[in-house]
């Protein structure tokens, strides 16, 4: 069969929608401490894993049996590009909150007639706001965060090194490059977890630490989630390389994950500058 | 433009029978149909909410609801009509028409297409289910403003996750549509050869991908503030409830163009057909669409003139908003110029398209009035605003959807619809909708606030007129259901080119088109 590959009917989308319904309902119930919440969350997550494995497994099998022509490949490229753009806009909402708080909301609270409401509040950044009294220490940029920056930048190099190797069909180097990238990613997550623990136990910096704590944990948290997903995707790619998938000419699965990894990297650089450093 | 159509006679795989066909389908026509029926079902629910609102407002005092229930009704009405009706209906139209109009075999990602649809019923379950939990549904209006939103019950969390699912559905659907348009056009069809409906949907897809994640971020922050101790929207922690309004409307204003750009595309398709003339100023239409989309990201704060904002910011947002009238005016003049000296006939799709041009323009002008910051201080949160956005969303977006349904219904079903009944639907709708919404301008100018179940005596007469218009409008929509059911069940067979003036690839296929169309690429020769 020639032409654009059109998949036959598939049950995975409905399974996915069921999984997300369970997750959503489970989250609502768990938040309100309802007994069924945890169960539904677990069931939803398990169904989601089954769905993702089955669906992506199917796409990989189709790709390996040569059903994806150049036009399908281009569709994947456009699709991944648009998807990463949507992710960027998701982060933009939280960066928007950070900039709004720093440039407009906090200075406003420390000036004009607001002084009558919050006497003695001087603003500045980082701040937990005028109404919260718990002391906290902000996260310093030039410790673990700087090290993490170095780690993620290095991982961008190693993933590109693996990509070059794939294009020259040096499978050993591909595996080594991917392994290094995954190791660096996991190290990053480990350090980030350590940093969170440190923040909660030693610095008094929590989600509830005013606007600084809220933006800090939401931005770094969603970024950490993305690094974790990126690591998982890199592991799948490593397994596929191990299984002999990809050719020097056609390996969009690899490239998509590499794009995603670079995107996560760029987000981190913005985080380092605007959340930790400045 | 000459198209050599070729579609495989042999079906590579037919659909499974029964319910499984609809659950597992990867066919753009099936999924388009699902979207349109979903929108119809939600329209019924949102419509019932509207009828209850108008019944309550028929006279002053509290008749059938209490204030909290009334707030929930208006909020659900807004959320359902926007996320459950207009957006899914447009996406359904895109699913049916985009592959047919660009000569593609299907959407670029057929399985993901099905996921996009099937995320909607769970979202609807959460949103509508929220009305039946302790504390009830959201009572904040569709804008979800804190601090009120922070104080709500479990129904508010259900709404948050419903919005997450609908947003995910929209993003995946938009990625699919954008990729299809960019990558699956028939060889030889250049960007500037694309039908206007395709252009407007490409731009809409961009807006969806850019705006929906911002809404997801906004409601995530609400969730965090509600349950996880953050202070995004709490001044005591250095946050700001106004910040939510900024983030929300950064999504919200592109959203209103998401709700109208496909309508522009439909009207730009229908008017040339029945004026029997090519669209006037095609290029300027494309540029106007793109300009509106880009400007839509720079005008969000005109929704918040009264929250307190530096005069310079008010001026910027006021002028940027007025600037949108320029590309919109280009469109309206192009439609009128297309009609000029055309050989016009008035079938129902054309009637709805012409009503769109007149009535959407009224909504556009009232939008210009509201764009003026000093005037908006008077009109903010009054019925003038309600009149404005119902003119652009009901007589705008909804009427365009009606035009599209009547225009393509014979293509989809293979049967002509009952033209006489359809005209009854049109005339009853177009008269009653003005009786319904026009008096709201006067109510707003006289100072009647929106989102209240009770009002002062002097507003009674206009409210009564509006309610009567509302009931007639609601009842008139039953005619649409009858027309559609009749066309599905039978009727005069529709030819391939249903309308003699119709241009475009979809009319080269038989009516109804085969389950798989354009499986071998056609070649366009300019």
């Amino acid at each position: 069969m020639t032409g654009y590959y059109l998949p036959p009917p598939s049950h995975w989308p409905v399974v996915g929608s069921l999984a997300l319904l369970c997750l959503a309902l489970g989250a609502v119930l768990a938040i309100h401490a309802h007994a069924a919440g945890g169960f539904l969350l677990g069931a939803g997550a398990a169904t989601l894993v089954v769905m993702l494995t089955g669906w992506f497994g199917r796409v990989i099998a189709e790709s390996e049996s040569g059903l994806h022509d150049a036009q399908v490949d281009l569709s994947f490229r456009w699709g991944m590009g648009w998807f990463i753009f949507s992710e960027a806009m998701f982060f933009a909402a939280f960066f928007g909150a950070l900039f709004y708080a720093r440039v407009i909301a906090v200075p406003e609270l420390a000036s004009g007639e607001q002084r009558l409401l919050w006497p003695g509040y001087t603003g500045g950044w980082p701040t937990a706001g005028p109404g919260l009294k718990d002391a906290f220490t902000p996260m310093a940029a030039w410790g673990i965060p700087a090290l993490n920056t170095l780690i993620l930048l290095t991982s961008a190099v190693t993933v590109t090194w693996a990509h070059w190797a794939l294009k020259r069909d040096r499978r050993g180097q591909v595996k080594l490059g991917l392994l290094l990238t995954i190791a660096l990613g996991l190290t990053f997550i480990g350090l980030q977890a350590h940093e969170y623990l440190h923040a909660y136990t030693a610095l008094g910096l929590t989600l509830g630490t005013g606007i600084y704590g809220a933006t800090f944990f939401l931005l770094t948290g969603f970024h950490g989630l993305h690094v974790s997903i990126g690591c998982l995707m890199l592991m799948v790619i490593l397994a596929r390389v191990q299984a002999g998938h990809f050719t020097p000419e056609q390996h969009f699965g690899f490239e998509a994950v590499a794009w995603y990894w670079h995107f996560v990297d760029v987000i981190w650089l913005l985080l380092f500058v605007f959340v930790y450093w400045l | 433009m000459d198209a050599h159509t070729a579609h495989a006679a042999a079906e590579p795989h037919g659909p499974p029978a029964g319910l499984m066909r609809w659950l597992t389908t990867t066919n753009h026509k099936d999924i388009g149909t699902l979207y349109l029926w979903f929108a119809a079902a939600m329209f019924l629910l949102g419509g019932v909410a509207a009828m209850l609102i108008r019944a309550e407002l028929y006279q002053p005092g509290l008749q059938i609801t209490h204030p909290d229930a009334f707030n929930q009704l208006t909020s659900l009405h807004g959320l359902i009509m926007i996320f459950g009706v207009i957006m899914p209906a447009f996406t359904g139209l895109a699913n049916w028409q985009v592959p047919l109009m660009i000569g593609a075999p299907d959407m670029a990602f057929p399985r993901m297409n099905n996921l996009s649809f099937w995320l909607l019923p769970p979202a609807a379950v959460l949103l509508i289910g929220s009305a039946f939990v302790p504390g009830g549904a959201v009572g904040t209006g569709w804008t979800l403003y804190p601090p009120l939103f922070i104080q709500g019950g479990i129904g508010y969390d259900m709404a948050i996750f419903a919005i997450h699912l609908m947003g995910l559905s929209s993003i995946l659907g938009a990625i699919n549509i954008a990729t299809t348009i960019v990558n699956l056009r028939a060889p030889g069809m250049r960007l500037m050869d694309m039908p206007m409906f395709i252009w407007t949907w490409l731009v809409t897809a961009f807006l969806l991908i850019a705006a929906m994640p911002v809404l997801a971020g906004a409601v995530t922050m609400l969730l965090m503030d509600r349950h996880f101790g953050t202070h995004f929207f709490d001044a005591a922690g250095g946050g700001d409830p106004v910040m939510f309004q900024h983030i929300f409307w950064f999504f919200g204003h592109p959203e209103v163009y998401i709700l109208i750009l496909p309508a522009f595309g439909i009207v730009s398709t229908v008017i040339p057909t029945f004026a029997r003339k090519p669209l006037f100023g095609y290029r300027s239409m494309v540029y106007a669409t793109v300009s509106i989309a880009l400007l839509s990201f720079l005008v969000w704060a005109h929704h918040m003139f009264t929250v307190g904002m530096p005069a310079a910011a008010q001026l910027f947002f006021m002028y940027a908003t007025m600037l949108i009238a320029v590309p919109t005016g280009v469109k309206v003049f192009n439609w009128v110029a297309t009609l000029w000296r055309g050989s016009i006939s008035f079938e129902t799709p054309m009637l709805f398209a012409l009503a769109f041009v007149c009535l959407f323009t009224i909504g556009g002008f009232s939008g210009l009035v509201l764009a003026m910051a000093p005037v908006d201080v008077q009109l903010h949160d009054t019925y003038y605003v309600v009149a404005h956005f119902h003119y652009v969303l009901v007589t705008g977006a909804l009427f365009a959807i009606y035009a599209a349904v009547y225009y393509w219904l014979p293509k989809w079903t293979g049967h002509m619809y009952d033209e006489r009944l359809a005209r009854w639907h049109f005339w009853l709708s177009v008269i009653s909708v003005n009786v319904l919404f026009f008096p709201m301008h006067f109510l707003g100018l006289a100072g009647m606030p929106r989102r209240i179940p009770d009002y002062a005596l002097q507003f009674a007469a206009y409210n009564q007129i509006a309610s009567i218009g509302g009931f007639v409008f609601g009842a008139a929509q039953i005619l649409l259901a009858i027309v559609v059911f009749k066309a599905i069940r039978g009727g005069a067979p529709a030819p391939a080119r249903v309308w003699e003036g119709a241009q475009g690839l979809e009319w080269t296929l038989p009516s109804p088109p085969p389950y798989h169309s354009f499986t071998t690429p056609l070649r366009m020769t300019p």
Side-chain angles (χ1 to χ4, degrees):
Chain A
M1 200 178 93
T2 56
Y4 197 87
Y5 174 67
L6 295 178
S10 164
H11 57 276
W12 293 122
V14 190
V15 175
S17 114
L18 197 67
L20 288 171
L21 176 62
C22 286
L23 278 176
L25 270 179
V28 169
L29 293 176
I31 285 170
H32 290 270
H34 193 284
F39 170 74
L40 270 175
L41 270 180
T47 315
L48 192 67
V49 170
V50 170
M51 182 278 269
L52 289 171
T53 319
W55 190 338
F56 279 107
R58 180 72 209 247
V59 175
I60 290 166
E62 286 163 2
S63 166
E64 288 304 305
S65 56
L67 286 169
H68 294 169
D69 62 4
Q71 199 182 8
V72 176
D73 189 72
L74 194 56
S75 280
F76 283 138
R77 282 166 198 277
W78 276 105
M80 192 67 194
W82 287 117
F83 172 69
I84 290 177
F85 174 53
S86 80
E87 290 272 50
M89 292 308 291
F90 182 70
F91 277 99
F94 294 99
F95 274 111
L98 175 70
F99 295 145
Y100 183 90
R102 291 184 61 164
V103 178
I104 296 175
V106 170
E108 177 75 18
L109 280 171
S111 64
E113 63 264 42
Q114 299 286 341
R115 287 204 174 142
L116 300 171
L117 278 171
W118 309 106
Y121 182 61
T122 52
W125 189 267
T127 177
L132 305 183
K133 294 294 165 239
D134 295 337
F136 73 98
T137 316
M139 188 61 69
W142 298 107
I144 289 177
L147 188 63
N148 264 343
T149 309
L150 199 65
I151 287 171
L152 273 197
L153 286 177
T154 314
S155 78
V157 173
T158 54
V159 80
T160 307
W161 188 61
H163 188 207
W164 286 352
L166 184 55
K167 286 212 259 193
R168 291 174 183 77
D169 212 12
R170 296 182 195 144
R171 312 289 287 196
Q173 188 187 328
V174 180
K175 286 175 206 163
L176 183 61
L178 282 173
L179 261 178
L180 284 172
T181 313
I182 294 165
L184 288 166
L186 291 177
T187 314
F188 173 92
I189 296 165
L191 286 174
Q192 199 74 349
H194 172 77
E195 182 189 279
Y196 275 19
L197 199 66
H198 181 63
Y200 262 80
T201 51
L203 301 181
L205 173 60
T206 68
L207 265 177
T209 308
I211 190 67
Y212 174 69
T215 51
F216 175 84
F217 280 106
L218 261 280
L219 276 163
T220 56
F222 274 116
H223 177 265
L225 181 69
H226 281 72
V227 176
S228 311
I229 294 168
C231 277
L232 218 60
M233 298 192 331
L234 285 167
M235 288 175 199
V236 173
I237 294 300
L238 180 62
R240 289 189 64 189
V241 173
Q242 198 76 34
H245 292 189
F246 304 127
T247 64
E249 293 77 33
Q250 204 177 355
H251 47 261
F252 181 65
F254 183 104
E255 286 171 289
V257 173
W259 289 2
Y260 191 80
W261 196 252
H262 289 307
F263 160 72
V264 170
D265 212 357
V266 171
I267 294 291
W268 174 260
L269 290 180
L270 292 172
L271 280 180
F272 181 70
V273 173
F274 294 111
V275 175
Y276 290 98
W277 183 12
L278 294 181
Chain B
M1 197 189 291
D2 178 25
H4 307 281
T5 52
H7 40 83
E11 308 271 281
H13 40 75
L19 184 64
M20 283 314 277
R21 167 179 175 179
W22 302 102
L23 287 173
T24 65
T25 184
T26 49
N27 181 287
H28 72 97
K29 302 183 183 83
D30 284 354
I31 296 169
T33 304
L34 285 170
Y35 265 112
L36 289 168
W37 279 118
F38 177 83
M42 288 296 115
F43 187 53
L44 190 65
L45 281 175
V48 167
M51 292 301 110
L52 290 173
I53 290 168
R54 281 322 315 172
E56 175 59 57
L57 293 176
Y58 185 75
Q59 56 188 34
L62 293 174
Q63 276 74 240
I64 56 170
T65 61
H66 57 90
D68 188 39
F70 186 86
N71 282 345
Q72 295 177 33
L73 275 177
T74 52
S75 310
L76 280 180
H77 168 73
L79 287 167
I80 288 174
M81 288 302 194
I82 290 168
F83 293 108
V85 179
I86 304 288
M87 290 170 75
F90 277 144
T91 315
L93 292 170
N95 258 292
W96 254 101
Q97 291 307 128
V98 167
L100 295 185
M101 291 171 92
I102 64 173
D106 205 293
M107 299 292 275
F109 307 109
R111 278 176 294 224
M112 193 172 88
N113 198 15
N114 198 29
L115 177 62
S116 305
F117 171 74
W118 280 106
L119 287 174
L120 290 178
V125 166
L126 285 166
L127 187 61
I128 293 157
S130 74
F132 301 99
V133 295
V138 286
T140 60
W142 82 288
T143 50
L144 319 172
Y145 283 0
L148 181 58
F149 193 91
I150 308 295
Q151 299 156 9
I154 189 170
Y156 286 56
D157 299 309
M158 294 169 78
I160 287 176
F161 286 105
I163 286 167
H164 273 309
L165 290 180
M166 291 186 287
L168 184 60
S169 159
S170 293
I171 292 166
L172 296 180
I175 289 175
N176 217 335
I177 291 167
T179 305
T180 307
I181 294 172
V182 172
N183 194 34
L184 262 64
R185 294 193 309 280
M189 183 187 272
R190 293 160 302 185
L191 284 177
M192 281 312 213
D193 296 333
M194 297 195 309
M196 266 318 289
F197 181 67
I198 304 299
W199 256 114
T200 52
W201 241 114
L202 179 61
V203 175
T204 304
F206 164 76
L207 289 179
L208 279 166
I209 300 168
M212 295 309 288
V214 177
L215 176 65
V219 295
T220 303
M221 288 182 233
L222 285 177
L223 185 74
M224 297 302 291
D225 267 17
R226 280 170 58 80
H227 296 293
F228 299 99
T230 57
H231 298 84
F232 282 109
F233 309 126
D234 179 0
D240 189 348
V242 174
M243 180 167 85
F244 177 83
Q245 302 187 19
H246 280 289
I247 299 171
F248 178 86
W249 285 112
F250 185 81
F251 141 81
H253 205 77
E255 168 71 14
V256 307
Y257 292 102
I258 289 164
L259 298 172
I260 203 65
L261 287 183
F264 289 167
I266 291 162
V267 171
S268 303
T269 311
V270 170
I271 287 183
T273 297
F274 296 99
R276 291 165 180 78
K277 272 178 66 195
L279 182 67
F280 184 88
Y282 171 84
R283 278 180 177 274
S284 62
M285 282 300 215
V286 172
Y287 297 146
T289 308
V290 176
S291 332
I292 291 173
L294 297 180
L295 283 171
S296 75
F297 285 102
L298 301 172
V299 298
W300 75 87
H302 67 217
H303 296 270
M304 332 163 23
F305 280 143
T306 56
V307 301
M309 193 188 310
Q314 291 204 350
L315 283 172
F316 169 80
F317 286 109
M318 173 169 115
Y319 288 131
T321 305
M322 291 181 169
L323 210 53
I324 293 187
V326 176
T328 312
V330 166
K331 283 180 168 293
V332 173
F333 284 120
N334 279 346
W335 291 323
V336 175
T338 307
L339 292 167
W340 177 251
R341 305 189 70 171
S343 180
I344 303 173
S345 58
F346 296 94
E347 286 85 351
T348 311
M350 183 62 157
L351 290 173
F352 273 109
L354 292 175
F356 174 98
V357 174
C358 301
L359 299 177
F360 172 80
T361 305
I362 292 180
F365 277 133
S366 58
L368 268 179
V369 172
L370 290 167
M372 286 181 269
V375 178
D376 184 72
V377 172
Q378 284 296 309
L379 296 178
H380 185 90
D381 256 341
T382 68
Y383 260 83
Y384 194 87
V385 178
V386 178
H388 158 68
F389 69 72
H390 281 94
Y391 263 89
V392 290
L393 283 177
V394 178
T395 61
L398 185 69
F399 272 25
I401 290 166
Y402 286 169
V405 167
Y406 283 119
Y407 186 65
W408 284 309
L409 195 60
K411 172 57 66 187
W412 300 336
T413 62
H415 304 125
M416 293 304 289
Y417 60 84
D418 184 338
E419 183 67 40
R420 205 170 66 94
L421 210 53
R423 286 183 195 206
W424 270 101
H425 173 227
F426 169 76
W427 285 109
L428 276 176
S429 294
V430 80
I431 294 168
S432 60
V433 85
N434 281 292
V435 177
L436 166 58
F437 293 124
F438 209 80
M440 292 186 186
H441 291 111
F442 308 134
L443 285 172
L445 289 167
M448 176 167 163
R450 61 191 283 214
R451 291 171 175 169
I452 51 153
D454 189 6
Y455 50 83
L457 272 179
Q458 70 264 32
F459 302 128
Y462 280 134
N463 266 300
Q464 235 156 48
I465 294 169
S467 285
I468 291 167
F471 300 143
V472 176
F473 183 75
Q477 306 320 306
I478 297 166
L479 291 179
L480 172 72
I482 296 172
V483 173
V484 171
F485 276 119
K486 278 181 73 176
I488 291 170
R489 293 184 57 131
R497 189 176 299 276
V498 175
W499 314 106
E500 59 168 34
Q503 304 289 323
L505 291 177
E506 74 265 41
W507 309 109
T508 63
L509 294 168
S511 304
Y515 193 60
H516 295 284
S517 32
F518 302 123
T519 42
T520 37
L522 21 108
R523 186 152 292 280
M524 307 285 294
T525 44

